[in-house]
């Protein structure tokens, strides 16, 4: 049995999950920064 299709699929899945997690974290950081700026403007 050739293991390479599984290896390629594992790397592909890892890449997609890493990109998705990075985008999610970036979006949440932007949201937190916006909330912090709103709190500063409120004073």
């Amino acid at each position: 049995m050739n293991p390479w299709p599984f290896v390629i699929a594992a790397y592909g899945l890892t890449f997609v999950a890493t990109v998705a997690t990075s985008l999610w974290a970036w979006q949440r950081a932007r949201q937190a920064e916006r909330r912090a700026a709103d709190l500063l403007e409120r004073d």
Side-chain angles (χ1 to χ4, degrees):
M1 181 180 249
N2 187 4
W4 282 109
F6 299 104
V7 171
I8 292 169
Y11 274 106
L13 182 62
T14 301
F15 175 76
V16 169
T18 300
V19 169
T21 303
S22 297
L23 289 173
W24 172 79
W26 177 67
Q27 180 185 15
R28 296 293 292 186
R30 288 190 64 202
Q31 183 181 24
E33 290 171 354
R34 195 175 316 124
R35 285 183 177 174
D38 289 345
L39 286 175
L40 289 175
E41 289 175 4
R42 213 186 291 177
D43 290 339

